[in-house]
Structures are given as structure tokens and as C-alpha cells.
Amino acid sequence: QLAKPSIRSGLGTGGVISRSYQDRHHTESIQIELEKETSIDLITLIPVISLNSSAGFVASGFPEEFKLIVGTGQNTNGTVVASFTAEDHLLPRIAPVAISLPAIKASWVRLEANVLTRGGWRSDYVLQLSEMMVFNGPDNVALHRPVQMSSDGRGLSFVMTKESLVDGQVPYLMDAAKGAGSRFHMLNITGISKPILSIDLGKQYPLDRIHVHAWEIST
């Protein structure tokens, strides 16, 4: 009863890309600085997804071998909390990689890739990632935090920015498993200086967050 996979169209959701190489054996890293030292228990890596004429949707530039390192303060070495090689068979894939951790304190999280893969239609090798999420319980503590990269290949793609790695946007559309689709709500607000949208929930509920989603970019 699961929904069929559906991928965003148009410009997609961006992400980051490293410089390119003619062979796969190069080390590239991505580091996220958290707002403060906090306990984390899950790291999720979302690949950049491209359309291959023969294989269909595939992860583009997702590292074949990498490790995840977390640390606190000025401790630049950190602690390796997960590592993967080709024997783990993470590729091919389009799904996120979710790594559960025993609760550990961190003020930064680093992905260090040692073996790269080809970036979509390109013949060279890069490190690409659409989104990197770091969770403390239900909260993504990496959201909108500063990102550092060992190299910057943004000249290869104008939609790839460090900010888009932590903007909370993923390549997937979450369609319902059943039922009819619905259209977005659009209102002409010409001449209205302070438009207001009110929703009557029917009764009182405890609220802890509000999500506002943009309409599909292809419209």
C-alpha cells in the first residue's frame, strides 16, 4: 500500500558538488557546524538524483566509500561513527541512507568520502549530495547551519550551493498511497498590502511547529 516513487521536476532541490576528477580515488569532505553542542542520534544522507537513459533514476555522485565523523569544539579529529565501503552495496540507489547512532554529543558533523562516483551524465568523478540531515530526536539540528567543503565545484552546476545542502528540501515528492490529487492554493493579492491566510482547526490542539510548502516548481 506504499505510494509510487515520485521525483521533483524542474530545477530540483540543489545540493552540493565538489570539484571533478578523472579518477575515483580522491578524498573530499563536507562538514556542518551545528549551532551548539548537542546530542545526535541519526544522520540522513539524501543523494542527488539524475535520470539515466538506460537505468532510470539513479544517485548521482554519491560516494562509494565514505565515513561519518562527529566532534565537539576545536577537536578537529573527532570520532568515526560510521563507515562504508563498496562491500556494503549502498549503490545503486535513489533512497536516502539513514545511519542510526547511539546518542552522542557533537557540535559538528563531517562526511569524508574516499572513493567517488560519476556525476550523472558526466564522465568524471565528483562528490554530490542533495541534503544532509542530523537529528536530535525529531529535530533536524543541521537545518540552515553553516557548511564547509574541501573543494567547491559550483561552476559545474548553478543550482548547487552550500546553503541548499541544509535547506530541508529533498528530491522526493511525498504522494499519498491512495486518493485523488489536489491543486495548490493561489490567491490574487494585488492591492492587498498585508494578506492573511487563516485556517480553522475545528478545535484546540497543542502545536509545536508549522510547515509551509511551496507549490511545484514546474508550475
Side-chain angles (χ1 to χ4, degrees), residues 175-203:
D175 296 325
K178 59 182 179 179
S182 61
R183 292 183 60 80
F184 52 81
H185 175 76
M186 185 172 69
L187 176 67
N188 186 344
I189 59 172
T190 302
I192 303 176
S193 59
K194 295 181 179 180
I196 297 173
L197 174 65
S198 300
I199 301 174
D200 185 352
L201 301 181
K203 62 180 182 178

Side-chain angles (χ1 to χ4, degrees), residues 112-128:
E112 190 173 288
N114 307 111
V115 179
L116 309 180
T117 60
R118 287 190 169 95
W121 52 268
R122 306 179 61 85
S123 61
D124 45 12
Y125 296 88
V126 294
L127 169 61
Q128 282 184 287

Side-chain angles (χ1 to χ4, degrees), residues 3-66:
K4 294 181 179 179
S6 184
I7 307 298
R8 290 184 185 274
S9 60
L11 295 177
T13 56
V16 291
I17 185 170
S18 73
R19 61 167 294 188
S20 61
Y21 301 94
Q22 294 303 307
D23 64 278
R24 65 177 65 231
H25 294 281
H26 289 275
T27 298
E28 288 285 346
S29 65
I30 302 169
Q31 181 165 315
I32 299 175
E33 303 290 338
L34 307 181
E35 183 176 12
K36 59 184 179 180
E37 183 177 316
T38 187
S39 178
I40 64 173
D41 51 38
L42 179 71
I43 300 174
T44 303
L45 308 175
I46 295 94
V48 170
I49 298 174
S50 61
L51 181 59
N52 183 287
S53 58
S54 57
F57 290 113
V58 293
S60 174
F62 194 86
E64 185 174 76
E65 296 189 6
F66 65 93

Side-chain angles (χ1 to χ4, degrees), residues 74-160:
Q74 301 303 313
N75 174 16
T76 57
N77 293 325
T79 302
V80 177
V81 293
S83 62
F84 299 90
T85 67
E87 283 70 35
D88 292 297
H89 303 293
L90 293 183
L91 297 172
R93 71 182 307 108
I94 62 170
V97 176
I99 301 105
S100 296
L101 309 172
I104 184 172
K105 292 285 187 180
S107 61
W108 56 264
V109 176
R110 182 166 68 239
L111 180 148
E112 190 173 288
N114 307 111
V115 179
L116 309 180
T117 60
R118 287 190 169 95
W121 52 268
R122 306 179 61 85
S123 61
D124 45 12
Y125 296 88
V126 294
L127 169 61
Q128 282 184 287
L129 204 60
S130 175
E131 188 78 13
M132 187 168 174
M133 299 178 175
V134 181
F135 288 95
N136 175 358
D139 297 316
N140 176 14
V141 295
L143 192 65
H144 303 308
R145 298 304 304 157
V147 175
Q148 300 175 15
M149 293 189 66
S150 53
S151 74
D152 190 346
R154 279 184 291 175
L156 305 176
S157 173
F158 68 91
V159 299
M160 296 288 184

